[in-house]
Structures are given as C-alpha cells and as structure tokens.
Amino acid sequence: MPAQSLSLNSNKPILSWANHDLGARETQMAKNVASLPFVYKHVALMSDVHLGKGALVGSVIATQDAIIPAAVGVDIGCGMCAIQTPYSSHQLEGKLKKIRKEIEATIPVGFDANKNIDKAVYNWQGWHSFKELHKGVQHLEGKALKQMGSLGGGNHFIEVCIDTEDNVWLMLHSGSRNIGNMLAQNHIRTAKDLAKLAHQKLPDPDLSAFVAGTDAFQQYWHDLQWAQDYARFNRDVMMSRFKKILELHLGGGKPFKPKLAVNCHHNYAERESHFGEEVYVTRKGAVRARTTDYGIIPGSMGAKSFIVKGRGNHESYCSCSHGAGRLMSRTKAKHTFTLDDLIEQTDGIECRKDAGILDEIPAAYKPIEEVMANQNDLVEVVATLRQVVCVKG
C-alpha cells in the first residue's frame, strides 16, 4: 500500500506503512525522532512498527552528519539468514525430533557458549582489530570468541521450513551477542554524557547522538561496523553447522550448494545515497530492500515467513519490515496465555513446548499476512515458508 503521511505536527514528515493509528506512546516516540534537527527529509515507519527504546522498532531514520546509537540498539547487526536446500518435505518424515535435538546439541542457545572454537572462527578477520574497539570491551575477547556461532536468547531462533513448492529451507535469526550489546551500551552511555555536558535539550535522553567529524563519532562508527560484521559472520558459522546437520540426515552426508542464500541485518546503520545525497540510514527493525536485495520477513513461531526481494521504494529509504512485530509485551504475553495455549498454537511444529518460551507464543505477534499486505509496494514475495522445526534461544 502507499505510505500514509501522519498528521502529527512534527518538524519532519512521518510516513507510515502500518495502516493503523499509533498509540499515544508510539506517537510521541515518532514525534521525538522527527523533531531532531539532523533528521533528513522524513522518518519512515514500517508495517510492523511498535514501541522501542528512544526510537520505534520498525523505523527507518536517515540523518545528516549525526547518528543515534540507541536508535541502532543494543543488538547491533541483529538479522536473518536463510538458504534453500535441494531437499523435499518427504525426506524429513520421521526425522524432525532427531534434527531438533542435534541442532540444540550443536549450536549453543540462550546464555550458553561454545566449548570448542571452530577454526573458521579463529580465521575471522575481525579479530585483528579487536584491540581498536572501545576500551570498555577489551576484557571480552575470550567471551566473544566462544560466543561466535551461538544463537542467544529472546526472539532468536533456528528453523527448518518448507515452502509452497515443497522445498526445504534453513533459517535462523541472531545478532552480535554480548560483545555487540556491550559495545552499544558503552557508546550509548558516552552519547548521553556528551549531551549532558553540552546542555542539550532532547525530547528523550535515548536520542543522544554523535556528531560526524568528532572522535566519539569515529570510534562508534568503527565499532558499529565491526559488530555488524561479527553478527553477519556469527550467522554464517551457525548456518554452516546447521547445513551439515541436514546434509547428514537428508543427504547421506553429501554437501550441497544452496539454491538461494540470504543474510541480512535488520538492526544496523550504513552510509547510503538517497534523493541525491549521502546520509546515514539507521534501520531499527527494518531490512534494506533495494531492487538488488533479498530479505527475510519471519512471522511468529506458528506463522508463515517470507523470502522477499526489494522493490527499491525510495520513500521507505529502500526498506521493508523485519517481521510481524510484537502485539504485546513479553510480560503481558506470559500473564495472558497458558502452556495449553502454546501447545495448541504450535501444533504440528517440532519445538519446545514449555513455560520458558511462553512469551514467544504466536498470538503475542501481529498477523504476518496483514504486515505483508501493507508493504506490497516495498517488496515482492519470492518464497512463502512454514516451519516444521523451531529451536528458540
């Protein structure tokens, strides 16, 4: 659908693909961002937009000569990875539980880390510049090494899926783990301290920004790019292990070349050209969707997911949603639903069915079909997937 220009009396226009009225808190958060003097042209809200910290999750913010670390968020480079395999659904029959158990034994989830470090992890080029990162993380190199190739918790997941053409897909969702979190927290703290020293009047302290050309900006930009690379490679390491599990169970151990592979961030910032100018684009819960970009838009653990290709819509800064978006908070979901509800809503899916993942129950998320319908001018659907195995962090 075409974007709606929201009548919010903000300094810069706010364009929305959400096709619904924002609540009072969401409205104020959008206005806060649009009031900042360095925001470029307009703020774009994706179809899955919901409350965040400082800025809305599902927002795209283009800025000139400044960047807001809290808008990027604490899971720098969080994103999705998916590959299309040569296998068909009938090859999975009777093997789903074994596959899930092996995934859980091979890829650490939650707070767990790897006991043994893969050779590929040691060879990652990012370790050469670790000593150039913020001094507040210098003691974390060993932990960062052990967490490379681990999933994390919250809404991170690993899934075996089947598309409408009966192809088996492997898909996962993860970010930059503790090292990205610690980098972000250190820089957010610095940005807030600098704003206080300068006596800046901000609508929200979480909108404290670094100004281009300053040492603080340069250090953040360096660390941001490092953490984004870490997150992307982290997904590659997990996908490599995941792929070997399927090759063993479905292909007799014979390696295969993916028919299509996608690896995309949805919490990150990059320097890009829009409307003829170079700007910094922060996608907080949004995926880049140029005409050359493939992306992944997952639903909940009981709903469809989509492999998409961008349409290059410039009003959205060539972006699309990063998922269904939460309908209710984790706390509210735990108080609203029961374990029986979870079991019912994940019927037919090989996954954990315990109170530990009740906050990830499908009904806590927006209907993915509506989210997709509201952004058909941003992406085209390449494949529609449903999960048959889901491992949660």
Side-chain angles (χ1 to χ4, degrees), residues 28-69:
Q28 189 59 55
M29 195 168 278
K31 289 177 69 173
N32 288 347
V33 171
S35 73
L36 299 172
F38 48 78
V39 167
Y40 174 69
K41 203 167 177 67
H42 63 266
V43 175
L45 305 182
M46 301 296 97
S47 54
D48 62 340
V49 67
H50 57 281
L51 277 175
K53 190 169 185 180
L56 292 166
V57 178
S59 62
V60 184
I61 308 162
T63 53
Q64 293 179 301
D65 300 321
I67 194 163
I68 310 162

Side-chain angles (χ1 to χ4, degrees), residues 285-358:
V287 178
R288 191 176 65 186
R290 302 171 305 182
T291 55
T292 54
D293 290 324
Y294 284 93
I296 306 167
I297 305 177
S300 68
M301 64 186 291
K304 298 174 185 174
S305 295
F306 299 88
I307 308 297
V308 299
K309 193 173 184 185
R311 295 189 186 275
N313 186 308
H314 292 287
E315 293 297 314
S316 71
Y317 299 110
C318 297
S319 308
C320 67
S321 84
H322 80 311
R326 291 196 73 92
L327 195 59
M328 62 179 68
S329 70
R330 295 184 181 280
T331 301
K332 186 175 180 182
K334 287 178 180 178
H335 290 157
T336 303
F337 298 105
T338 66
L339 188 55
D340 286 340
D341 295 326
L342 175 68
I343 292 169
E344 181 183 349
Q345 292 180 31
T346 58
D347 182 46
I349 301 167
E350 177 57 44
C351 65
R352 286 170 53 197
K353 299 179 191 285
D354 57 64
I357 60 167
L358 193 55

Side-chain angles (χ1 to χ4, degrees), residues 53-54 67-76 134 180-196 202 204-210 216 220 223 284:
K53 190 169 185 180
I67 194 163
I68 310 162
V72 176
V74 294
D75 194 358
I76 298 170
H134 191 286
N181 181 15
M182 290 298 102
L183 280 170
Q185 289 194 39
N186 277 285
H187 285 293
I188 291 168
R189 193 179 305 117
T190 299
K192 288 180 177 179
D193 290 344
L194 290 172
K196 279 184 182 178
L202 294 168
D204 185 336
D206 280 314
L207 295 179
S208 300
F210 291 127
Y220 177 65
D223 293 359
K284 186 181 181 73

